[in-house]
């Protein structure tokens, strides 16, 4: 079974990315798996109300730990650490967990062999059943790190389930921005939908998101959400897309009824009208999604 993976991203938060993800999933006719890769601020579950069927802890990369009893305070580890993550205080080495990259250099240079690696639970990965199909979602604990790794594990679980269940489609709600979790969400995907909106920062956000897709060699198209909030800025976005050769997949208007549906915790499938299935069919005809 050829599994196709669509990820919905945006250059910044607040563009309606999660609502569009759920709405597109609601009109996709094939068997699908859903994933929320916005592990810093997961919201897809709020719209889909999953009935939880499983959970697993996320540990991230190991970091170093000092056996204070054995430490002589020689500071060899402090001098060797390139990440400024271990310091001798009051005669004992102390690890700053927020800076430690787990590179193991300190383990090798410590003459007392009193440094080891430990893993810390940094988040939770969950699976639940929803009306639109299984949902894999995750939450990073405050101060947690390794978001890219967490997203990679989440996508791996979604793909494993797609392979086992015969689902042919994975729809992923990606994180905003262009950082590590976004890169991890888009890498290896079949198509990225970039959600933009007519705001002052939209063009630079769009350029950054499109640039990332270009670097990762993932085909993409643009949806302009709430286009009627500024017809002038919408035209500017369209013009830029035309000049750059970026396909505009469709536009969605701002309408009270859509906002009310989302406010009430409903997916605005009906409220978006015919534009939604047309948008989804357009997405399916593009790039690596073609059949
Ligand atoms: S594991 Fe690497 S980053 Fe962490 S304290 Fe040791 S040397 Fe520094
Ligand atoms: S190298 Fe080992 S003994 Fe020396 S300060 Fe670091 S942890 Fe302590």
């Amino acid at each position: 079974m050829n599994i196709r993976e669509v990820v919905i991203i945006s250059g910044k938060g607040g563009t309606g990315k999660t609502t569009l993800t759920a709405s597109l999933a609601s009109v996709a006719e094939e068997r699908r798996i859903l994933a929320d890769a916005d592990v810093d601020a997961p919201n897809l579950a709020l719209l889909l109300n999953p009935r939880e069927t499983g959970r697993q802890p996320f540990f991230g990369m190991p970091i170093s730990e000092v056996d204070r009893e054995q430490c002589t305070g020689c500071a060899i580890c402090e001098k060797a650490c390139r990440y400024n993550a271990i310091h001798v205080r009051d005669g004992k080495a102390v690890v700053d967990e927020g800076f430690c990259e787990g590179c193991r250099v300190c383990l090798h240079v410590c003459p007392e062999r009193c440094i080891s690696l430990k893993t810390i639970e940094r988040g939770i990965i969950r699976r639940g059943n929803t009306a639109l199909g299984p949902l894999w979602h995750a939450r990073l604990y405050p101060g947690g790190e390794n978001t890219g790794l967490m997203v990679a594990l989440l996508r791996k679980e979604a793909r494993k389930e797609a392979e086992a269940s015969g689902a042919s489609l994975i729809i992923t709600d990606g994180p905003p921005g262009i950082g590590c979790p976004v890169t991890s969400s888009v890498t290896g995907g079949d198509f990225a939908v970039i959600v933009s909106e007519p705001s002052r920062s939209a063009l630079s956000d769009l350029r950054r998101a499109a640039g990332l897709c270009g670097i990762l060699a993932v085909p993409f198209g643009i949806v302009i959400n709430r286009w009627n909030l500024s017809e002038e800025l919408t035209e500017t976005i369209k013009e830029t897309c035309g000049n750059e050769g970026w396909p505009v997949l469709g536009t969605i208007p701002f309408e009270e009824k859509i906002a009310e549906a989302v406010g009430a915790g409903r997916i605005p499938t009906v409220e978006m009208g015919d534009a939604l299935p047309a948008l989804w069919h357009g997405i399916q005809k593009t790039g690596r999604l073609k059949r």
Side-chain angles (χ1 to χ4, degrees), residues 136-236:
W136 285 91
H137 56 127
R139 180 177 292 278
L140 199 72
Y141 296 151
E145 292 187 342
N146 306 130
T147 49
L149 177 62
M150 191 178 207
V151 169
L153 291 177
L154 183 84
R155 286 181 68 200
K156 196 172 166 190
E157 293 292 352
R159 182 161 284 271
K160 255 185 355 197
E161 177 159 1
E163 286 168 357
S165 67
S168 55
L169 178 67
I170 300 172
I171 301 180
T172 300
D173 183 15
I178 55 162
C180 202
V182 189
T183 304
S184 190
S185 302
V186 174
T187 302
D190 293 296
F191 192 75
V193 176
I194 303 175
V195 186
S196 187
E197 61 174 3
S199 66
R200 288 283 160 207
S201 64
L203 268 182
S204 66
D205 295 331
L206 178 55
R207 280 189 188 285
R208 284 148 44 96
L212 180 71
C213 292
I215 289 167
L216 298 175
V218 173
F220 64 92
I222 288 113
V223 172
I224 306 173
N225 196 16
R226 307 179 197 121
W227 68 269
N228 50 338
L229 290 182
S230 169
E231 294 188 24
E232 186 191 337
L233 287 172
T234 293
E235 279 311 309
T236 307

Side-chain angles (χ1 to χ4, degrees), residues 11-90:
K12 72 172 184 63
T15 59
K17 172 179 59 61
T18 299
T19 302
L20 184 64
T21 303
S23 302
L24 290 174
S26 73
V27 293
E29 285 154 5
E30 57 201 292
R31 195 162 178 182
R32 58 214 176 267
I33 306 288
L34 303 166
D36 187 352
D38 189 357
V39 299
D40 285 311
N43 285 328
L44 192 54
L46 297 177
L47 273 176
L48 300 184
N49 292 316
R51 184 174 50 78
E52 188 164 307
T53 56
R55 55 167 62 193
Q56 60 191 67
F58 168 69
F59 290 102
M61 300 294 285
I63 58 172
S64 65
E65 178 180 47
V66 176
D67 178 346
R68 291 177 60 85
E69 292 293 316
Q70 303 298 319
C71 176
T72 61
C74 69
I76 291 174
C77 55
E78 181 176 324
K79 292 185 189 97
C81 178
R82 293 176 56 204
Y83 298 97
N84 206 22
I86 189 164
H87 300 278
V88 174
R89 293 191 195 112
D90 299 326

Side-chain angles (χ1 to χ4, degrees), residues 64 81-83 85-86 95 99-107 117:
S64 65
C81 178
R82 293 176 56 204
Y83 298 97
I86 189 164
V95 177
F99 287 105
C100 179
E101 293 285 328
C103 70
R104 296 170 175 259
V105 166
C106 56
L107 276 72
L117 289 182

